[in-house]
Amino acid sequence: MMLRYLTAGESHGPALTAIIEGMPAGLDLSADYINRQLARRQQGYGRGGRMKIETDQAEILSGVRGGKTLGGPICLQIRNKDWSNWSAIMASGEADLASRRVTVPRPGHGDLAGHIKYGHEDLRNILERASARETAARVAVCTVGRRLIEHFGMEVYSHVIQIGSVKAQPAGLPEIIDRAAQSELFCADPDAEARMKQEIDQARALGDSLGGIFEIIVCNVPVGLGSHVHWDRKLDGRLAGALMSIQAIKGVEIGLGFAAATLPGSKVHDEIFAGESGFKRGSNNAGGLEAGMTNGQQLVLRAAMKPIATLYNPLRSVSLESGEAAEAAVERSDICAVPAAAVVGEAVTAFELASAFMEKYGGDSISEIEKRFR
Ligand code: EPS
């Protein structure tokens, strides 16, 4: 049983849409459940003007009746409120192509490679789709997969552990659940959070931007999702790919991650003990994944986000029109969007788990899957 999705939509088009196919019938699903995640994605200290315009709401256009999935494709739509300011410029028919042209590529954005690859002279034709606005559609559609894994007891959490040069102290899961959710930066360490805010304020004052690192934790993961037998069935590879596909993500770690390369094996591998009900581990350096399979421990993933590519104090670039040196284009943007990226990270992680869950336990209806799962 295969679970798959597509998203469509431009940042300043009429709407973002997404379709997810392969969901079983009989799962509880409401727009409110999806909208809670969309609201979380809009938060975070350091966001720009767009989030003041939008109140992202998913409409369920198909595949759900009376609050339960039907088994058919589920189509979601999020209208862009900002469309009313862009309808002439972004029209699919006769459009105002002269206004709001972008002709000086921003280093770090898709502008230059997209121009060369697709031949667009107006970089808007690249940035409209490269924009992290697309992550609203991704959160909505992946949250449908999240509903499935939550139905089977899994819980997905995230917290921000670094912004710019400021690192948070390590925190336990209860603190992450309690404190990160209250924090404007989804950070469980209040001291670090205060310094992170200062660093964001400084970046804003300098016309600069900031990246950071978020961590995803998934509890109650069944043993044996994914497989060791073939590269594209290894769940660690699929999760890393999913996280890496989020706009601006440049690095992914699982468990100890890069630190494992610096330690001897005796300090890295999680010893196995006989417990009262099955096997026990003394540690979780593997982050819940061994040989591409879940091992029943918590899943622990981290992703590093680069600073946003649009700088209000622009970097040096070259004008596509004149071929001369010019300052990079400035589009409205965020200063820092790491907390939002953490919510997107939760969503794509949940989707990959849902997909692997369906491969192992999948059926056409929830009752059929429940029997197999038991
Ligand atoms: C975003 C919407 C975008 C940006 C941001 C994230 O909207 P606009 O371009 O109209 O301001 O605020 O995207 C980027 C930083 C980027 O580089 O594309 C959103 O919905 O999260």
Side-chain angles (χ1 to χ4, degrees), residues 124-141:
R124 175 157 308 285
N125 293 342
I126 303 299
L127 74 87
E128 285 288 333
R129 185 65 190 153
S131 168
R133 179 77 192 135
E134 187 264 346
T135 62
R138 214 120 49 112
V139 167
V141 74

Side-chain angles (χ1 to χ4, degrees), residues 126-285:
I126 303 299
L127 74 87
E128 285 288 333
R129 185 65 190 153
S131 168
R133 179 77 192 135
E134 187 264 346
T135 62
R138 214 120 49 112
V139 167
V141 74
C142 290
T143 297
V144 177
R146 181 176 187 145
R147 188 70 267 288
L148 178 75
I149 63 165
E150 286 189 355
H151 181 87
F152 288 96
M154 286 182 245
E155 293 168 15
V156 187
Y157 301 102
S158 71
H159 62 137
V160 170
I161 59 172
Q162 186 167 343
I163 300 261
S165 68
V166 183
K167 291 184 183 165
Q169 290 296 317
L173 191 60
E175 292 160 312
I176 293 167
I177 294 171
D178 266 15
R179 289 209 222 128
Q182 317 295 327
S183 148
E184 277 184 280
L185 286 173
F186 300 164
C187 177
D189 173 352
D191 292 340
E193 188 197 0
R195 283 180 284 125
M196 288 170 177
K197 283 185 178 171
Q198 280 170 8
E199 207 155 308
I200 292 169
D201 292 342
Q202 260 164 28
R204 190 189 297 277
L206 295 169
D208 218 327
S209 60
L210 281 179
I213 302 176
F214 62 82
E215 184 172 75
I216 309 275
I217 297 162
V218 189
C219 305
N220 309 326
V221 184
V223 181
L225 302 185
S227 176
H228 67 292
V229 301
H230 199 248
W231 70 269
D232 56 359
R233 294 175 60 186
K234 288 178 188 274
L235 190 59
D236 42 12
R238 288 162 55 178
L239 288 164
L243 286 167
M244 198 64 117
S245 79
I246 300 170
Q247 286 79 341
I249 299 302
K250 282 295 199 184
V252 177
E253 290 187 325
I254 299 177
L256 263 189
F258 273 54
T262 66
L263 296 169
S266 56
K267 298 270 188 311
V268 169
H269 302 298
D270 307 307
E271 288 184 303
I272 304 170
F273 303 97
E276 301 217 327
S277 52
F279 301 104
K280 278 196 319 192
R281 297 300 183 98
S283 52
N284 184 21
N285 292 333

Side-chain angles (χ1 to χ4, degrees), residues 10-350:
E10 280 74 47
S11 180
H12 305 101
L16 302 164
T17 49
I19 297 178
I20 180 166
E21 200 277 318
M23 286 295 289
L27 180 69
D28 291 318
L29 183 69
S30 68
D32 282 353
Y33 174 80
I34 297 169
N35 290 338
R36 278 200 290 280
Q37 297 302 330
L38 289 177
R40 289 180 66 224
R41 194 201 71 93
Q42 290 201 260
Q43 292 170 26
Y45 192 82
R47 301 304 299 277
R50 180 72 182 268
M51 291 305 102
K52 296 193 180 77
I53 299 172
E54 304 294 344
T55 319
D56 291 335
Q57 300 267 300
E59 296 162 62
I60 300 176
L61 301 187
S62 75
V64 182
R65 185 169 182 221
K68 296 225 185 256
T69 56
L70 296 173
I74 298 167
C75 182
L76 304 172
Q77 171 171 276
I78 302 165
R79 291 172 200 271
N80 287 321
K81 285 196 185 165
D82 207 12
W83 165 245
S84 60
N85 303 316
W86 289 84
S87 51
I89 296 164
M90 292 299 295
S92 61
E94 201 175 310
D96 172 7
L97 300 176
S99 303
R100 299 301 300 266
R101 278 172 68 81
V102 179
T103 54
V104 187
R106 289 161 296 170
H109 219 287
D111 301 344
L112 181 58
H115 156 72
I116 295 166
K117 180 173 165 69
Y118 287 90
H120 291 305
E121 295 301 326
D122 181 356
L123 299 174
R124 175 157 308 285
N125 293 342
I126 303 299
L127 74 87
E128 285 288 333
R129 185 65 190 153
S131 168
R133 179 77 192 135
E134 187 264 346
T135 62
R138 214 120 49 112
V139 167
V141 74
C142 290
T143 297
V144 177
R146 181 176 187 145
R147 188 70 267 288
L148 178 75
I149 63 165
E150 286 189 355
H151 181 87
F152 288 96
M154 286 182 245
E155 293 168 15
V156 187
Y157 301 102
S158 71
H159 62 137
V160 170
I161 59 172
Q162 186 167 343
I163 300 261
S165 68
V166 183
K167 291 184 183 165
Q169 290 296 317
L173 191 60
E175 292 160 312
I176 293 167
I177 294 171
D178 266 15
R179 289 209 222 128
Q182 317 295 327
S183 148
E184 277 184 280
L185 286 173
F186 300 164
C187 177
D189 173 352
D191 292 340
E193 188 197 0
R195 283 180 284 125
M196 288 170 177
K197 283 185 178 171
Q198 280 170 8
E199 207 155 308
I200 292 169
D201 292 342
Q202 260 164 28
R204 190 189 297 277
L206 295 169
D208 218 327
S209 60
L210 281 179
I213 302 176
F214 62 82
E215 184 172 75
I216 309 275
I217 297 162
V218 189
C219 305
N220 309 326
V221 184
V223 181
L225 302 185
S227 176
H228 67 292
V229 301
H230 199 248
W231 70 269
D232 56 359
R233 294 175 60 186
K234 288 178 188 274
L235 190 59
D236 42 12
R238 288 162 55 178
L239 288 164
L243 286 167
M244 198 64 117
S245 79
I246 300 170
Q247 286 79 341
I249 299 302
K250 282 295 199 184
V252 177
E253 290 187 325
I254 299 177
L256 263 189
F258 273 54
T262 66
L263 296 169
S266 56
K267 298 270 188 311
V268 169
H269 302 298
D270 307 307
E271 288 184 303
I272 304 170
F273 303 97
E276 301 217 327
S277 52
F279 301 104
K280 278 196 319 192
R281 297 300 183 98
S283 52
N284 184 21
N285 292 333
L289 285 155
E290 289 173 307
M293 291 174 279
T294 54
N295 64 7
Q297 299 239 81
Q298 279 179 4
L299 219 60
V300 182
L301 310 161
R302 281 181 295 282
M305 184 183 196
K306 70 181 181 181
I308 282 170
T310 305
L311 303 189
Y312 284 97
N313 185 12
L315 293 171
R316 286 178 290 184
S317 183
V318 173
S319 162
L320 299 183
E321 286 171 330
S322 68
E324 304 285 324
E327 285 187 342
V330 180
E331 275 271 304
R332 173 184 55 204
S333 187
D334 303 314
I335 306 300
C336 176
V338 181
V343 178
V344 185
E346 286 179 28
V348 302
T349 298

